[in-house]
Amino acid sequence: MPDRPTLTLTEASMEEIKHLVSKRAIAGETVLLNMGPQHPSTHGVLRLLLELDGEEVVRCIPDVGYLHTGIEKNMEAKTYIKAEVMSDRLDYLNNVGNNLAYCLAIEKLTGLDVPPRAQAIRVILTELQRIASHLIFLATTGLDVAATSIWMYCFRERNLILDIMEMCSGQRMMTTYIRPGGLWRDVPAEFEGEVRSFIKVFPSRVDEYEALLTKNPIFLDRTKDIGVLTQEDALSWGVTGPMLRASGIPHDLRKSQPYSGYELYDFEIPMRSEGDTFARYIVRIEEMREALRIVEQALDKLPYGPVRSDNRKYVPPPRSELGTSMEALIHHFKLWTEGFNPPKGSVYVAVESPRGELGVYLESDGGPKPYRIHWRTPSFTNLQILPLIARGHLIGDLVLLIGTVDIVLGDVDR
Amino acid sequence: MEYGLILEWIIKAVLMLLILLIGFAYTTYLERKVLARMQVRYGPNRAGPKGLLQPVADGVKLIFKEELIPAKADKLLFILAPVITVLPALTILAVVPFGGTVNLFGREITLSIAGDLNVGILYLTAVTSITVYGMVLAGWASNNKYAMMGGIRATAQVISYELALGLAFIGPILLASSMSVNEIVNAQGRMGWFFIYQPIGFIIFLIATLAEINRVPFDMPEAEQELVAGYHTEYSGMKFALFMMTEYIKMIVVAVLAATFFLGGYLGPFVDQVPWLGPVYLFIKVFILVFGIIWVRATWPRFRYDRLMAFGWKIMLPLAVLNVLLTGAFIILFPGVIR
C-alpha cells in the first residue's frame, strides 16, 4: 500500500489576503475570522472574511461562489421550454416569480398574449409566493436573534402556501407552473376555497408575529439604528426591493412599470425612511399584508376563460386535442422535440421579486435555444452593501444584517 | 466519628448525584417537549412511550460518538475543562436542605448533606464561580477563534452578573440574620416567604441566575447564530455531553436556589407533620421555575453582547446595591418583623 500523505495544517498565508484587509490586521492588532461557508447563520453557503477588533467588525469581506450552479450557462443548452425548470432553482424561495420573469421575457420576445385568467392567477401565485418568501425572512430573522418560536410559526403559515402550490402544480417548491403564454393548466376547483381560507387566517397570524417581535424591547434594541443604509448609498449601490423601500425610496416595479395586470389592483407600497434593520423588518411585514390584499382583489375579480394562449406555434396544444387533430399532434411533436424558434432579438424584463428587481436579459439568435440568458438577481446586488452596513457593528449584529439583506444563495451564485 | 454517620453521608451524596443526573436527563426531555408544544411541534416521541426514553438514547449516542481533539488544542486543558465545568454544578446543592428531619430505620436523618453549614451562602457563591474557569479554559484550549470568543464572553458575563447575584443573596441573609441555608429556610417558616419582603431582590436573583447559567436571553457565550456553539464548538462525544450536563444541572440548581431563598424552600402546608412532603413541595417549586426558564427561551430574543454588559453594570448592580440598602433600612425601621 502506498504511503498516504499525512494531513498537515498550514497557516493561511497573509500574502493571499493582504490586499483585502487593513494594515492593523497585518500587524496582528485585529483578528481575522473566517465565517462560513459552513456556519449556522450565513443563510446558505456564504463565506465572510471578518476582521474583528474584539467583538467589533472592522471589515467584512463577502466571498460568494460556493453555490455556483451554472444555471445561466445550462439554460443556453436547453430549449426555451425545457430551460424554464432551471429558473425555479435560482431563487428557490421565489420560484413562481422567477418563472414569471422568464415567461414574461419570452412573451415579450415572441409577442405572445396571455389570457386574463392566467394573468390573474399569475398575480395570485406570485403574491402568495412573496408572502412565503417574507415568512422565511421573518423566520430566519427571528432565529438570528434567537427567538426560535417565530421560526416554527412562520413555517406553519408557509406550509399553507406550499399546499396551495402543490394543489396547483403538483410541486411544493419547484412549481414551473407559469409557462410561456399562460399557465401549465387551470387551477383546480378547490383553489379558490383554499386561498380564501388562507386570506381569512393569515392577518391574525401576522399580528401574532408582531406581538412576539415588533414591541419586544430586546428585539427593538437589536434592530433599531443597526446597519443604517442611507438613500444615497442605496441608490448608488443599485439596491432594490424592501431594502430600498426601507431607506425611503418608494420604488416598486409593480407600480412603476406594471406587468401581468398589477395596475388593476389597489395596493400600497410600504415605505420607511430610517433605513435600519427595524425599518426593513417593518417594510417586509407590511408587504405581507399588502400582498394579501392583492391576492384577495385578484381572487374577487378572477375572470373565467382559457389559461393558455392559443398560439400553437409557441404554446403546446391541450392533451385532449392530440387524438383528434393532426395539426395538434404535429405542434405537440415539434414543440417537445425541437422547441419553438422565437424571432431574433434581445429583451430585458424585470419583475419585483420579494428581494428586489429580478431581471431577465434574453438574447435570441432565432434558434430554439436561448443564445444568452442573464439573470439580474436582487440578492447578488443587495449583498454588495453588506460590508458597508456591517462596518463598526458587533458580530452579533452582523448575523442579523446578513438576514436583513434577505439573501438566497442560489440567487447570488448562478 | 460514628461509622453510621459516614455511611449516611455517602448514601446521601450518591442519592444527590443520582437525582441531579436523572434530573438533568429529564430536564432536557422537558425542555424539548415544552418547547415543541409552544412551537406547534410534537417533540421527541419515538424512543419509548411518549419519547420518555429519549434522554437515554441521547446518552447512549453521545457515549459512542468519536471524541475528537483538535490537532492544535492544548490536550490536557481540553480534557480538563469539561470536568472543571461539571464538578461545581454537581456539588452546589450540598448545602441546600431538601426537607426537614425524617425518621428512617430508627435514625433521625436530615434531608440535606450539609444544610446547617454556617457559611452555606459563601460556599454557594464560591462554588458557582468555579464553572466559568471551565468555560474559559475550554475556549482557550480549543485553539479556535469562535471558542475563544465564547470563553471570553462567558468570563465577562459571569463576572458582571455574579456581583448582582451576590448582592441578591444579601437580602435573605439580612432577613434571616444567618448565612446558613437551613436557617434561611426556617426563618421563612416563621416570617413568611422572602419574596414578599424581597420583590426586587427576587427579580434580580432570577435575571442574574439566567445570565449565570447562560440561558436565553443571556446565552451569549454559546450564541449559536454568532459563535457556532461558543466555547464548546470543538467538543464532541461525552465531553460535549458534560458541558450540556452542566448547563441543565445548573438550570435545576438555580431553580432550587431561587425556591430555597425566596419561595420558602421545602416549606409548605403540613410539612411539619409529614416531613416527606418537603421534597415534594421543593420539586413542585423547582418544576415551575424550570418551566419558566424554558418558557423564556421560547419567547425572547437574545441580548446583544454590549447591551448585556451595560445592563449588568448600569442597571442590575445599582439596583442590587439599592436593594441591600433598602433591606437594611427596613430591618432597622421595623425590627419586629425579624423573628
Side-chain angles (χ1 to χ4, degrees):
Chain A
M1 205 173 96
D3 281 344
R4 260 189 278 172
T6 49
L7 187 71
T8 50
L9 294 171
T10 52
E11 295 284 334
S13 161
M14 210 64 206
E15 285 298 313
E16 290 170 30
I17 50 172
K18 207 165 70 179
H19 62 289
L20 293 172
V21 297
S22 73
K23 287 207 168 58
R24 290 173 66 205
I26 296 167
E29 280 175 46
T30 51
V31 179
L32 290 177
L33 181 70
N34 185 38
M35 193 177 190
Q38 308 298 334
H39 187 278
S41 57
T42 52
H43 294 244
V45 284
L46 173 68
R47 175 178 168 233
L48 297 172
L49 180 62
L50 301 179
E51 187 185 330
L52 298 175
D53 183 2
E55 288 261 339
E56 193 184 312
V57 178
V58 179
R59 212 169 272 216
C60 152
I61 304 144
D63 182 8
V64 299
Y66 287 89
L67 200 66
H68 184 71
T69 44
I71 280 180
E72 282 181 3
K73 193 70 191 162
N74 252 325
M75 288 174 99
E76 292 170 18
K78 294 185 176 358
T79 61
Y80 285 96
I81 296 179
K82 289 176 185 168
E84 196 193 334
V85 289
M86 313 286 299
S87 69
D88 293 288
R89 274 95 181 147
L90 272 172
D91 177 350
Y92 41 80
L93 298 183
N94 179 38
N95 33 65
V96 176
N98 294 350
N99 293 161
L100 180 64
Y102 179 77
C103 294
L104 284 176
I106 291 180
E107 282 152 14
K108 193 171 171 188
L109 192 66
T110 57
L112 272 173
D113 54 336
V114 181
R117 183 174 172 83
Q119 299 268 30
I121 293 173
R122 281 179 176 192
V123 168
I124 294 173
L125 290 182
T126 318
E127 291 306 312
L128 285 177
Q129 186 78 70
R130 188 182 312 278
I131 295 174
S133 173
H134 283 341
L135 281 175
I136 297 275
F137 157 79
L138 192 58
T140 50
T141 299
L143 206 59
D144 283 342
V145 291
T148 41
S149 297
I150 191 117
W151 162 272
M152 296 308 303
Y153 299 153
C154 288
F155 270 72
R156 176 183 62 191
E157 271 69 75
R158 178 174 178 262
N159 210 27
L160 299 174
I161 296 177
L162 292 190
D163 284 344
I164 295 173
M165 297 290 170
E166 187 182 5
M167 198 169 69
C168 297
S169 70
Q171 286 282 335
R172 291 169 74 77
M173 282 180 79
M174 304 302 159
T175 51
T176 327
Y177 183 62
I178 296 174
R179 299 283 169 88
L183 303 170
W184 173 50
R185 56 167 63 162
D186 205 347
V187 288
E190 314 88 60
F191 175 76
E192 188 171 342
E194 285 288 314
V195 178
R196 289 241 184 256
S197 67
F198 179 75
I199 292 172
K200 208 170 153 192
V201 73
F202 192 63
S204 66
R205 299 284 167 85
V206 181
D207 294 341
E208 201 178 306
Y209 312 144
E210 288 219 78
L212 268 173
L213 286 183
T214 307
K215 291 198 181 87
N216 187 314
I218 301 179
F219 183 74
L220 290 180
D221 200 44
R222 291 289 307 264
T223 52
K224 285 240 162 144
D225 297 325
I226 299 297
V228 176
L229 178 66
T230 58
Q231 274 194 24
E232 296 78 48
D233 281 336
L235 283 178
S236 55
W237 285 86
V239 171
T240 47
M243 292 203 73
L244 184 67
R245 294 193 280 276
S247 293
I249 300 168
H251 172 72
D252 190 319
L253 291 173
R254 291 174 294 173
K255 280 273 190 215
S256 59
Q257 34 174 299
Y259 51 90
S260 285
Y262 269 108
E263 65 277 8
L264 301 175
Y265 311 115
D266 169 40
F267 62 100
E268 304 289 320
I269 301 174
M271 193 196 75
R272 300 279 286 202
S273 51
E274 296 91 339
D276 56 5
T277 307
F278 185 71
R280 294 190 274 268
Y281 158 81
I282 286 290
V283 162
R284 288 190 176 107
I285 291 265
E286 290 305 319
E287 267 185 24
M288 288 204 276
R289 296 187 202 273
E290 291 302 321
L292 204 68
R293 272 181 66 196
I294 301 177
V295 171
E296 194 168 9
Q297 292 171 43
L299 204 61
D300 288 341
K301 292 186 197 163
L302 190 64
Y304 286 96
V307 293
R308 274 205 277 196
S309 159
D310 49 7
N311 187 339
R312 292 282 177 262
K313 293 293 167 213
Y314 296 110
V315 182
R319 193 98 208 155
S320 54
E321 280 181 23
L322 295 186
T324 54
S325 159
M326 192 64 213
E327 286 78 16
L329 194 62
I330 294 170
H331 282 135
H332 180 84
F333 180 74
K334 285 285 275 180
L335 280 171
W336 291 112
T337 51
E338 188 198 344
F340 54 79
N341 298 314
K344 227 173 185 175
S346 58
V347 288
Y348 177 79
V349 170
V351 300
E352 185 73 25
S353 100
R355 270 156 280 284
E357 177 178 337
L358 174 72
V360 179
Y361 171 76
L362 189 63
E363 185 150 343
S364 156
D365 58 354
K369 293 171 183 171
Y371 176 74
R372 173 78 173 102
I373 181 159
H374 173 73
W375 290 82
R376 185 257 181 231
T377 50
S379 297
F380 181 70
T381 324
N382 291 355
L383 182 61
Q384 294 178 76
I385 53 134
L386 185 62
L388 187 79
I389 56 177
R391 189 166 297 162
H393 287 301
L394 300 179
I395 190 167
D397 295 328
L398 175 74
V399 167
L400 200 54
L401 287 175
I402 301 171
T404 193
V405 179
D406 195 18
I407 47 163
V408 169
L409 262 297
D411 206 25
V412 174
D413 308 331
R414 45 197 191 270
Chain B
M1 195 180 285
E2 196 196 340
Y3 167 71
L5 196 60
I6 294 174
L7 193 67
E8 185 190 315
W9 279 346
I10 292 174
I11 292 174
K12 277 198 278 195
V14 169
L15 263 181
M16 169 85 83
L17 282 182
L18 279 181
I19 289 171
L20 280 180
L21 291 180
I22 295 169
F24 146 68
Y26 280 90
T27 311
T28 64
Y29 175 78
L30 178 76
E31 169 158 50
R32 291 170 72 172
K33 269 294 193 206
V34 171
L35 270 186
R37 283 299 169 193
M38 287 176 177
Q39 300 178 345
V40 287
R41 297 185 281 125
Y42 288 110
N45 62 355
R46 296 287 133 179
K50 298 212 175 283
L52 273 169
L53 294 179
Q54 187 65 36
V56 183
D58 285 343
V60 171
K61 182 194 81 174
L62 283 168
I63 287 169
F64 285 106
K65 281 265 174 186
E66 183 184 4
E67 303 245 349
L68 270 176
I69 298 179
K72 293 204 169 179
D74 186 321
K75 290 205 176 48
L76 178 69
L77 290 181
F78 190 80
I79 295 167
L80 203 60
V83 182
I84 296 177
T85 319
V86 80
L87 277 181
L90 286 171
T91 47
I92 293 173
L93 283 191
V95 292
V96 176
F98 283 79
T101 311
V102 293
N103 201 315
L104 206 64
F105 311 120
R107 286 177 66 93
E108 290 283 305
I109 293 175
T110 50
L111 290 177
S112 78
I113 294 177
D116 44 3
L117 185 69
N118 57 3
V119 287
I121 291 188
L122 205 59
Y123 170 85
L124 282 177
T125 46
V127 173
T128 45
S129 318
I130 295 175
T131 310
V132 74
Y133 284 98
M135 291 179 188
V136 75
L137 281 178
W140 185 79
S142 303
N143 194 18
N144 173 319
K145 285 169 190 167
Y146 287 110
M148 186 71 205
M149 283 170 78
I152 292 172
R153 280 184 177 191
T155 329
Q157 178 176 327
V158 173
I159 289 174
S160 315
Y161 279 80
E162 210 138 77
L163 288 169
L165 185 64
L167 288 171
F169 276 130
I170 291 183
I173 295 176
L174 287 177
L175 287 172
S177 324
S178 166
M179 282 182 93
S180 153
V181 184
N182 252 355
E183 191 43 47
I184 287 175
V185 174
N186 291 338
Q188 292 185 66
R190 296 191 299 270
M191 297 161 59
W193 295 359
F194 279 170
F195 84 97
I196 305 165
Y197 305 92
Q198 288 283 321
I200 308 174
F202 185 46
I203 292 165
I204 289 174
F205 185 88
L206 289 182
I207 297 176
T209 47
L210 270 185
E212 179 89 14
I213 59 173
N214 306 326
R215 292 281 306 185
V216 172
F218 303 101
D219 59 340
M220 239 66 46
E222 43 195 279
E224 182 191 320
Q225 288 79 11
E226 297 154 30
L227 301 181
V228 188
Y231 55 86
H232 56 64
T233 303
E234 294 287 354
Y235 281 86
S236 56
M238 226 30 220
K239 291 203 277 296
F240 168 76
L242 286 182
F243 281 116
M244 279 290 125
M245 199 191 274
T246 313
E247 192 181 321
Y248 284 92
I249 288 179
K250 280 187 100 174
M251 209 164 120
I252 303 172
V253 166
V254 297
V256 172
L257 293 185
T260 307
F261 289 121
F262 295 97
L263 300 177
Y266 60 84
L267 297 177
F270 308 115
V271 80
D272 35 349
Q273 282 104 37
V274 191
W276 281 113
L277 277 176
V280 177
Y281 285 133
L282 189 63
F283 176 79
I284 294 171
K285 288 168 190 172
V286 167
F287 185 87
I288 292 169
L289 285 167
V290 168
F291 184 86
I293 293 174
I294 297 171
W295 192 356
V296 166
R297 176 173 170 188
T299 315
W300 276 352
R302 181 189 302 127
F303 266 101
R304 207 170 64 208
Y305 179 63
D306 60 330
R307 294 298 172 133
L308 170 95
M309 300 305 280
F311 184 69
W313 289 98
K314 291 182 185 160
I315 297 175
M316 293 282 285
L317 186 62
L319 212 60
V321 173
L322 185 72
N323 183 49
V324 170
L325 293 178
L326 283 179
T327 313
F330 174 81
I331 289 169
I332 291 169
L333 291 178
F334 308 99
V337 179
I338 308 299
R339 275 176 285 158

